[in-house]
């Protein structure tokens, strides 16, 4: 028991306690009010993106997996909703228009598909006897200004070219043996049109343009003697080993001399891209580069496995010689210039690549090779 109580001191203590309790109560009320009126999280931006890969292929499985990761990579701010080939836009022309018009926000095509609409795009992916190593293309895009120039070109069409996606080389499956360019003479071969077909025609090949889904039945019926398509992994999935016995590669180290680095890309609607927060733009660009490496390396692993299966089923591999490559390049050079001169954008991309191929670090082209070309 306290002795000699001090009423003044006791009052101060009581007032202090009441003040403290009021402060605690007020803080609790503020906290409760804040939780009730907290600003809701911003709604995520969703992009619908169609690939040209068919559902069920290794290509589409990889694309779908990558798209599904984007929400986590952006902390829920951006969602990629993937679609396989033909699911929204029925064909390539419709796909191009769907992205331009904003029906789709993006696409994952083979860049070469737009050579008829954007002539420069013929030089933004594989072309006959051109740069034949994936790192050469990455060097041109990311170190020599080709990415920036490509974006300038696509901007004219209301599109934004985010970046290249490494895919694979294209190879030829044949019903009869082919050991040199001369063996192709008189054969009917499914090939892409444009530059590739024009070069093969110089070696006596009758070229046929067919969509991928028509290749197997054409080979099975004997309507064509051989067909190019993509690489071993996908071609095995499509059953080519059942209707052909021979596979044609380029010289050692070069799977293909006519489409050696067949690039895909991510392209989005320009208005859609411009609306995106710069922070998210940077993430998308970085993720495209990461995906490019994953896509390429996974398919290369599958190619190795597929070639073992082709051989186990009796397919024979043959290779063109280095001399064949030089002959093919000599035939291709005038065709390069023909396409480069279609417009100033195509010429700008080609000139950059030609300078690179003539540099001693690459050494594919000499002054003598292009003498008289304009």
């Amino acid at each position: 028991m306290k002795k000699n109580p001090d009423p003044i001191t006791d009052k101060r203590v009581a007032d202090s306690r009441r003040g403290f309790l009021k402060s605690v109560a007020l803080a609790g009320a503020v906290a409760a009010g804040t939780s009730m009126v907290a600003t809701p999280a911003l709604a995520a931006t969703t992009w619908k993106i169609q690939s040209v890969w068919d559902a069920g292929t290794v290509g589409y499985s990889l694309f779908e997996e990558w798209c599904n990761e984007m929400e986590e990579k952006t902390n829920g701010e951006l969602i990629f909703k993937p679609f396989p080939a033909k699911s929204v836009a029925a064909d390539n022309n419709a796909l191009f228009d769907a992205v331009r018009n904003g029906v789709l926000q993006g696409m994952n095509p083979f860049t070469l598909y737009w050579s008829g609409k954007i002539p420069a795009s013929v030089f933004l992916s594989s072309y006959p006897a051109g740069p034949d190593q994936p790192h050469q293309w990455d060097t041109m895009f990311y170190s020599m200004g080709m990415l920036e120039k490509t974006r300038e070109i696509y901007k004219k069409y209301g599109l934004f070219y985010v970046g290249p996606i490494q895919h694979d080389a294209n190879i030829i499956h044949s019903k009869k043996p082919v050991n040199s360019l001369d063996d192709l003479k008189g054969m009917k071969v499914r090939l892409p049109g444009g530059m590739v077909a024009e070069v093969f025609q110089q070696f006596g090949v009758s070229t046929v343009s067919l969509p991928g889904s028509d290749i197997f039945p054409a080979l099975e019926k004997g309507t064509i003697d051989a067909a190019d398509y993509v690489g071993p992994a996908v071609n095995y999935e499509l059953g080519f080993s059942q209707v052909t016995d021979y596979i044609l590669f380029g010289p050692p180290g070069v799977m293909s001399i006519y489409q050696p680095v067949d690039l895909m890309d991510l392209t989005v609607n320009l208005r859609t891209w411009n609306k995106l927060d710069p922070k998210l733009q940077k993430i998308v660009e970085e993720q495209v580069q990461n995906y490019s490496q994953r896509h390429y390396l996974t398919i290369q692993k599958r190619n190795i496995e597929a070639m073992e299966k082709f051989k186990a089923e009796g397919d024979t591999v043959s290779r063109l010689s280095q001399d064949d490559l030089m002959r093919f390049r000599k035939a291709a050079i005038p065709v390069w210039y023909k396409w480069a001169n279609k417009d100033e954008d195509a010429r700008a991309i080609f000139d950059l690549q030609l300078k690179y191929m003539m540099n001693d670090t690459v050494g594919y082209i000499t002054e003598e090779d292009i003498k008289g070309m304009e």
Side-chain angles (χ1 to χ4, degrees):
M1 181 181 295
K2 287 198 296 182
K3 294 180 181 180
N4 302 319
D6 182 345
I8 295 176
T9 300
D10 287 349
K11 185 177 184 302
R12 288 175 179 169
V13 170
D15 290 344
S16 177
R17 285 174 179 168
R18 281 194 294 272
F20 172 76
L21 291 174
K22 286 181 180 178
S23 297
V24 171
L26 179 61
V30 170
T34 301
S35 65
M36 293 174 63
V37 298
T39 304
L42 293 175
T45 297
T46 299
W47 286 3
K48 294 179 290 185
I49 306 176
Q50 182 171 313
S51 177
V52 294
W53 285 121
D54 290 318
T57 63
V58 59
Y60 185 71
S61 296
L62 288 169
F63 177 72
E64 186 176 41
E65 179 183 284
W66 175 67
C67 284
N68 290 339
E69 295 172 355
M70 190 59 68
E71 184 174 4
E72 180 182 353
K73 299 290 186 183
T74 61
N75 292 319
E77 294 184 59
L78 180 62
I79 296 171
F80 281 6
K81 187 174 181 181
F83 293 88
K86 303 178 182 179
S87 56
V88 178
D91 56 34
N92 290 335
N93 285 330
L95 178 60
F96 188 88
D97 291 337
V99 177
R100 288 188 70 187
N101 298 332
V103 175
L104 290 163
Q105 284 70 52
M107 60 180 168
N108 169 225
F110 285 98
T111 311
L112 186 64
Y113 284 174
W114 316 132
S115 59
K117 300 175 181 294
I118 308 175
S121 68
V122 78
F123 295 110
L124 297 176
S125 180
S126 264
Y127 57 94
D132 56 25
Q133 301 298 317
H135 74 271
Q136 295 169 347
W137 288 88
D138 283 345
T139 297
M140 291 186 293
F141 271 109
Y142 291 110
S143 297
M144 297 177 61
M146 197 162 81
L147 179 62
E148 291 76 13
K149 181 60 182 176
T150 301
R151 288 175 175 174
E152 289 177 18
I153 296 167
Y154 273 55
K155 184 177 181 180
K156 300 174 185 179
Y157 298 85
L159 300 169
F160 185 82
Y161 179 95
V162 181
I165 295 171
Q166 293 283 358
H167 162 239
D168 205 5
N170 288 15
I171 60 175
I172 289 177
H173 296 260
S174 174
K175 299 174 74 72
K176 57 180 71 173
V178 178
N179 295 300
S180 71
L181 286 175
D182 294 331
D183 291 340
L184 289 165
K185 186 175 182 179
M187 289 178 62
K188 185 177 288 187
V189 183
R190 183 274 177 192
L191 289 161
M195 191 185 295
V196 176
E198 289 177 24
V199 178
F200 270 96
Q201 288 163 7
Q202 295 183 51
F203 294 94
V205 175
S206 177
T207 62
V208 179
S209 179
L210 292 172
S213 58
D214 291 347
I215 294 174
F216 183 96
L219 287 167
E220 186 177 35
K221 295 174 184 177
T223 307
I224 56 177
D225 302 307
D228 116 279
Y229 201 49
V230 287
V234 173
N235 291 351
Y236 185 82
E237 291 177 342
L238 294 174
F240 285 10
S241 66
Q242 301 170 36
V243 289
T244 61
D245 296 314
Y246 304 94
I247 300 173
L248 182 63
F249 283 176
V254 179
M255 282 177 62
S256 169
I257 66 173
Y258 63 99
Q259 282 189 280
V261 185
D262 196 11
L263 292 174
M264 303 181 79
D265 66 66
L266 181 70
T267 294
V268 301
N269 176 280
L270 182 61
R271 295 185 302 276
T272 297
W273 179 261
N274 288 338
K275 289 177 184 177
L276 195 65
D277 186 295
K279 175 191 70 177
L280 294 178
Q281 290 178 346
K282 184 176 181 181
I283 292 173
V284 173
E285 291 179 278
E286 291 172 346
Q287 289 307 310
V288 165
Q289 290 189 58
N290 292 340
Y291 175 54
S292 177
Q293 183 181 50
R294 184 202 306 182
H295 188 262
Y296 178 75
L297 294 177
T298 301
I299 288 182
Q300 300 319 299
K301 179 178 182 292
R302 298 285 188 91
N303 282 346
I304 293 168
E305 296 166 353
M307 286 309 303
E308 293 175 354
K309 295 175 183 177
F310 273 119
K311 286 193 170 184
E313 295 178 18
D315 285 76
T316 300
V317 173
S318 60
R319 288 189 175 277
L320 296 174
S321 67
Q322 193 66 31
D323 286 343
D324 282 325
L325 171 57
M326 298 308 293
R327 289 174 62 199
F328 199 77
R329 182 168 286 140
K330 185 176 181 180
I333 289 173
V335 182
W336 295 353
Y337 277 86
K338 172 185 173 181
W339 281 82
N341 289 327
K342 285 184 178 288
D343 69 18
E344 62 181 4
D345 290 331
R347 187 61 192 238
I349 297 291
F350 172 67
D351 284 346
L352 182 153
Q353 295 177 351
L354 183 64
K355 183 178 180 180
Y356 181 51
M357 288 190 286
M358 294 181 72
N359 186 277
D360 287 337
T361 60
V362 180
Y364 288 169
I365 303 297
T366 66
E367 290 287 353
E368 185 64 27
D369 292 329
I370 60 172
K371 188 175 181 179
M373 300 290 171
E374 296 181 0

